[in-house]
Amino acid sequence: MKQYPGYTLVKREDCPEQHGTLTVLTHDVSGAAVLLVENDDDNKAFGIGFGTFPSDDTGVFHILEHSVLAGSEKYPVKSPFLQLLKSSMASFLNAMTFPDKTVYPFATPNETDFKNLMDVYLNAVFCPLAMVDKGVFEQEGWHRDEDGTVSGVVYNEMQGALATPDAQLQNALSRAMFPDTAYGFVSGGDPASIPALTYEKYVRVYHYSADNCCITLYGKMDMAEKLAFLDEQYLSRMPKSASRPRLTVQDEQTGAKRKIPYYTEKPEPDEAQCALAWYTGAFSDRERQLGVEILLDALLGTNQAPLKAALLEEKLGADIDVGFDDSTLQPTLELVLRGATEESAGKFAAAVRKAVDGILEKGIPEELLMASLNSTEFASLERPGSIPDGVLDAINASAGWLHTGDPALLLHTNALFASLREKLEQGWFNELLRELFAPAPVEIIQVPTLPRKEEEGR
């Protein structure tokens, strides 16, 4: 068994899905979680993820994500990332703010490039100039210009992002489903709230500590050398903090209803929308969450799929979208009726209930479920899309670590698919459908409305 000085081995296991082995380690001094994905992929990847749980709509973690990339102690240039992009051979170089975590991943086929980028990323997150330079906060977050107008990179970005009716509907839905937890807030920041964020609070909530992170090393490389660098240059200098923040579980808001306006100069009667959402169970129950994904694909994946076809036949609106996020502590699924009238939007929940009951009476056709299971399995192994495998693994490792303490949890899928194949024949998916839609949904109806009088002068 390989020894890694400075780290304690949690587990080591074969992982055919990633064509190699997974090793989970804990760093002795700092408490950092580390996942090694060792395989023959030349497109090596690195990722570091932190638990970041908003407690308001100021977008503080989105602003921090931008800020730490604007120079660090060792790389004090204005934007080291733009410099890197010019010279690097990286196949992926980015950072992302999620509702409950912030992840900094990159991928590159070049060994020298990998070492440089890893140092730049680690220095950026652990030693950012933003903590001593208020100018970074004002540039990336918000500041007031001489004429009194507010601007800033994140402020301007979110003004565009939150202006759409869809974004406002999503935010209202999150608030209704998670009124008491981090998931009820706009993690990217609401322009109406961003200017309430002070530099002092921003510095206070920066908790990019080593015991609040999950580091992933992926691909064909000398792992011992990378771990020694991590230990000597960063982690061994960062003792554990008193306590790291935790997510809380929301009491389910079954049956909650809201009606919200969407202000527009030209309100059209058939531009109302209705979003319905249900909780899908525990994040840690990966078999169930995978089952939900397969079920939704089988019933709503195309206009001909049974549930979608039955709902479209009701002619309540122009289209129906389906959404499912299984990366959060309490995964949710949603159905959105678009292009409806206010009256027809109000009938959507009853129509879904009736259509689901109709399907349960006959049972879901097994061949439909099998086709969805096969295509979902193929996609999970082949991973179509432009994001490198190692970057996806780093994001998934952060989610698994955050919610269960196990960075390897989401990287194993073969046993789940095998088990679901067996359960398919036993009618398990019919029972899942019954359970999912049994509770009354959280419901948001959005109605286009003329702007209020006092807002017209803006």
Side-chain angles (χ1 to χ4, degrees):
M1 184 62 89
K2 290 182 186 171
Q3 291 295 311
Y4 298 113
Y7 299 84
T8 296
L9 178 72
V10 178
K11 64 176 173 179
R12 184 176 173 85
E13 56 203 14
D14 288 325
C15 185
E17 297 93 332
Q18 311 303 332
H19 312 290
T21 57
L22 304 180
T23 307
V24 178
L25 306 165
T26 305
H27 186 257
D28 296 338
V29 174
S30 67
V34 182
L35 173 69
L36 311 180
V37 184
E38 295 176 84
N39 59 24
D40 285 333
D41 194 339
D42 287 321
N43 195 14
K44 298 176 267 289
F46 165 91
I48 181 164
F50 299 92
T52 50
F53 318 136
S55 57
D56 56 34
D57 290 328
T58 59
V60 61
F61 294 114
H62 187 193
I63 295 169
L64 274 170
E65 177 228 305
H66 279 247
S67 302
V68 303
L69 306 181
S72 65
E73 283 174 20
K74 196 168 171 183
Y75 303 96
V77 290
K78 203 59 176 161
S79 57
F81 273 68
L82 292 179
Q83 312 285 342
L84 279 170
L85 281 170
K86 289 177 196 161
S87 59
S88 166
M89 297 167 69
S91 52
F92 188 93
L93 193 67
N94 211 335
M96 303 101 153
T97 306
F98 294 90
D100 53 16
K101 60 185 175 289
T102 309
V103 185
Y104 297 84
F106 70 79
T108 176
N110 182 283
E111 176 66 22
T112 308
D113 208 23
F114 187 93
K115 288 178 182 171
N116 288 341
L117 287 170
M118 185 162 89
D119 194 33
V120 172
Y121 266 62
L122 289 165
N123 209 258
V125 296
F126 288 134
C127 318
L129 292 179
M131 290 301 109
V132 291
D133 179 0
K134 190 177 177 183
V136 174
F137 164 76
E138 291 175 342
Q139 169 192 302
E140 300 299 328
W142 75 276
H143 62 270
R144 215 173 281 285
D145 292 325
E146 284 175 12
D147 62 358
T149 57
V150 173
S151 66
V153 176
V154 170
Y155 179 84
N156 296 346
E157 180 187 318
M158 294 310 293
Q159 277 217 303
L162 283 192
T164 65
D166 288 359
Q168 291 173 23
L169 183 67
Q170 283 302 320
N171 288 339
L173 189 62
S174 298
R175 252 187 267 276
M177 293 199 85
F178 298 102
D180 310 311
T181 78
Y183 295 118
F185 298 107
V186 183
S187 56
D190 183 337
S193 302
I194 290 172
L197 180 65
T198 63
Y199 180 64
E200 290 68 31
K201 176 168 185 195
Y202 153 94
V203 170
R204 201 164 59 242
V205 303
Y206 162 82
H207 44 239
Y208 283 9
S209 56
D211 57 354
N212 181 37
C213 84
C214 175
I215 296 168
T216 303
L217 295 167
Y218 166 97
K220 188 177 181 179
M221 59 176 133
D222 182 342
M223 293 291 181
E225 176 198 49
K226 306 295 184 291
L227 288 167
F229 172 82
L230 266 170
D231 170 54
E232 289 156 20
Q233 298 298 314
Y234 292 95
L235 300 181
S236 60
R237 303 174 183 193
M238 304 170 77
K240 297 182 180 95
S241 58
S243 64
R244 73 179 176 98
R246 297 280 180 192
L247 279 166
T248 50
V249 174
Q250 175 68 55
D251 292 333
E252 296 192 0
Q253 303 295 299
T254 306
K257 291 184 181 183
R258 308 262 191 289
K259 190 168 125 185
I260 60 166
Y262 173 65
Y263 295 116
T264 170
E265 296 295 343
K266 293 180 187 161
E268 300 288 342
D270 61 350
E271 282 181 1
Q273 306 200 87
C274 177
L276 305 175
W278 293 262
Y279 306 88
T280 64
F283 169 89
S284 55
D285 188 346
R286 296 321 293 172
E287 184 176 85
R288 182 183 175 91
Q289 301 306 335
L290 182 59
V292 173
E293 186 181 341
I294 292 163
L295 183 71
L296 293 175
D297 182 66
L299 297 182
L300 292 143
T302 67
N303 285 358
Q304 289 74 46
L307 184 51
K308 190 162 185 187
L311 291 171
L312 289 173
E313 254 173 49
E314 298 284 334
K315 296 191 167 40
L316 296 175
D319 198 14
I320 292 152
D321 283 346
V322 56
F324 173 50
D325 182 359
D326 66 345
S327 71
T328 58
L329 182 63
Q330 286 170 279
T332 57
L333 78 88
E334 62 183 73
L335 299 179
V336 182
L337 174 70
R338 306 198 184 280
T341 63
E342 185 176 351
E343 186 190 0
S344 66
K347 298 175 180 172
F348 188 41
V352 172
R353 179 73 265 160
K354 180 180 140 193
V356 168
D357 288 343
I359 290 167
L360 286 170
E361 261 173 49
K362 298 178 191 154
I364 309 164
E366 273 191 21
E367 65 277 9
L368 251 185
L369 288 166
M370 190 55 86
S372 285
L373 191 151
N374 288 337
S375 66
T376 305
E377 182 171 31
F378 181 78
S380 87
L381 295 172
E382 294 303 317
R383 300 184 174 190
S386 58
I387 299 181
D389 287 1
V391 170
L392 288 173
D393 282 358
I395 294 169
N396 285 331
S398 293
W401 157 78
L402 189 62
H403 302 316
T404 69
D406 181 4
L409 180 70
L410 300 190
L411 277 62
H412 293 287
T413 51
N414 286 357
L416 299 179
F417 282 110
S419 170
L420 286 172
R421 266 177 220 289
E422 285 178 22
K423 291 187 167 179
L424 197 156
E425 290 161 23
Q426 300 156 14
W428 182 84
F429 280 92
N430 289 298
E431 201 40 54
L432 178 64
L433 177 62
R434 192 185 310 279
E435 279 178 23
L436 282 177
F437 289 95
V442 173
E443 178 179 347
I444 306 286
I445 293 177
Q446 182 185 51
V447 183
T449 311
L450 274 168
R452 293 188 295 244
K453 282 284 179 275
E454 71 269 23
E455 297 199 345
E456 285 179 357
R458 282 195 183 175

